[in-house]
Amino acid sequence: MNALDTALWVVAPYVALTVFVLGHVWRYRYDRFGWTTRSSQMYESRLLRAGSPLFHFGLLLVILGHVGGLVVPKGWTEAAGVSETAYHVMAVVLGTLAGVATVGGLAILVYRRRTVGPVFTATTRNDKLMYAVLALTIALGLAATVVANVIGGGYDYRTTISPWFRSIFLLHPEGELMAGAPPLFRLHALSALVLFAIWPFTRLVHALTAPVGYLTRPYIVYRSRDDRRGLTAPRRGWEPTR
C-alpha cells in the first residue's frame, strides 16, 4: 500500500473511533442537558408521522444487515447451511428494500425541515452538516449495492471489506483488503468514518440512549387553572384558592 492507502484504511478508522468514544464521554460530561433529539414535533406532525417511522425502521434493517455482513464471517453462514447464492440474494433484496425505505424516509424529513418554517428556523448548521453526511453515506451505500450486485456482475464484500472491518477491532488492520475494493464501497466507507467522527457532536447521540429513567421517575402533578373543584370534596375549614 502507498501512504494514502495507509492513512485512509489504517489510520483514519482509529481516529474516527477515538473521536466517537471520547466525543460521547465529553458530551455527556459537559453537555448533558444538550443530549437530546431536539424534537420538532410540536411544529409539524403530519410529515413527521410518515417520514420518521419509514426512516428509522429502514435504518434499523440497514444496521442489522451491516452487522450480519461485516461482523459474521463467511465461514459461519456456510457452516449454518446458508449457501453463498442464498445469502447473496437475501442480502441484495433486503438491502435494497431497506435502503430505499431509508432514503425515502430521509427525503421526507429533509423536505419537512426545509419547507416548514418553524422547523427550518430551529435547524442549526450542525443539523445541516449531519443531514448532508448522513444522506451521502446512505446514498453511497445504496448505490454500491445496486451498481455492484444488480447492474454489475456481483461483488463479494465478505472476502475483502468484512475481514478489513474485523481486523480494525482486532488491532491488526489489513488495509490492503480495503484498498482493492470497488470505488463506491471505498467512498461509502470513508463517508461512514466521517459520520462516526461527527456523531457525538450532533443530535444523533439520542441513538445511544433509552428513556429508562421514565420507569422510576416520580409522578408529575398537573393542576387545573380554572375555578372548577376536583372530584374530592375539600376538607372542612379549608377555603379554595382564588
Side-chain angles (χ1 to χ4, degrees):
M1 294 192 303
N2 54 38
L4 180 60
D5 290 333
T6 302
L8 292 179
W9 312 120
V10 177
V11 178
Y14 289 109
V15 173
L17 288 174
T18 302
V19 175
F20 182 83
V21 174
L22 296 183
H24 280 91
V25 174
W26 174 87
R27 180 80 179 271
Y28 186 78
R29 290 190 61 183
Y30 297 103
D31 188 28
R32 190 175 301 182
F33 289 104
W35 192 296
T36 174
T37 61
R38 298 179 64 247
S39 175
S40 58
Q41 184 178 3
M42 61 181 298
Y43 301 131
E44 196 278 337
S45 59
R46 183 177 61 86
L47 291 173
L48 186 64
R49 284 197 301 266
S52 182
L54 187 63
F55 170 75
H56 284 91
F57 283 115
L59 188 61
L60 178 61
L61 292 177
V62 170
I63 294 174
L64 292 177
H66 278 69
V67 171
L70 297 177
V71 177
V72 179
K74 184 177 181 179
W76 291 16
T77 56
E78 293 178 347
V82 180
S83 65
E84 178 62 25
T85 302
Y87 179 89
H88 178 77
V89 172
M90 181 176 61
V92 171
V93 173
L94 294 180
T96 302
L97 293 177
V100 171
T102 305
V103 170
L106 183 61
I108 295 175
L109 295 178
V110 172
Y111 172 81
R112 169 183 177 269
R113 188 161 292 276
R114 184 62 185 87
T115 57
V116 178
V119 180
F120 181 72
T121 303
T123 304
T124 64
R125 294 180 179 178
N126 187 296
D127 293 331
K128 296 177 182 178
L129 175 63
M130 181 271 295
Y131 273 108
V133 177
L134 181 62
L136 179 64
T137 303
I138 295 173
L140 286 173
L142 182 60
T145 300
V146 173
V147 172
N149 298 291
V150 178
I151 299 177
Y155 176 70
D156 189 4
Y157 64 88
R158 293 197 296 168
T159 60
T160 55
I161 301 176
S162 298
W164 165 78
F165 179 82
R166 294 191 295 269
S167 70
I168 296 297
F169 296 92
L170 295 176
L171 302 181
H172 187 69
E174 301 178 10
E176 66 277 2
L177 295 177
M178 194 65 193
L184 280 177
F185 284 92
R186 284 180 285 167
L187 290 174
H188 176 57
L190 288 176
S191 63
L193 292 179
V194 175
L195 179 63
F196 281 112
I198 68 172
W199 190 299
F201 315 104
T202 66
R203 65 174 64 198
L204 292 176
V205 293
H206 77 275
L208 302 180
T209 56
V212 179
Y214 286 178
L215 300 176
T216 58
R217 71 177 183 177
Y219 291 107
I220 300 177
V221 179
Y222 291 93
R223 299 178 183 270
S224 176
R225 293 185 178 181
D226 57 25
D227 295 333
R228 293 178 299 175
R229 298 181 182 182
L231 298 178
T232 303
R235 289 185 180 183
R236 186 175 181 181
W238 288 73
E239 294 293 336
T241 58
R242 300 295 182 184

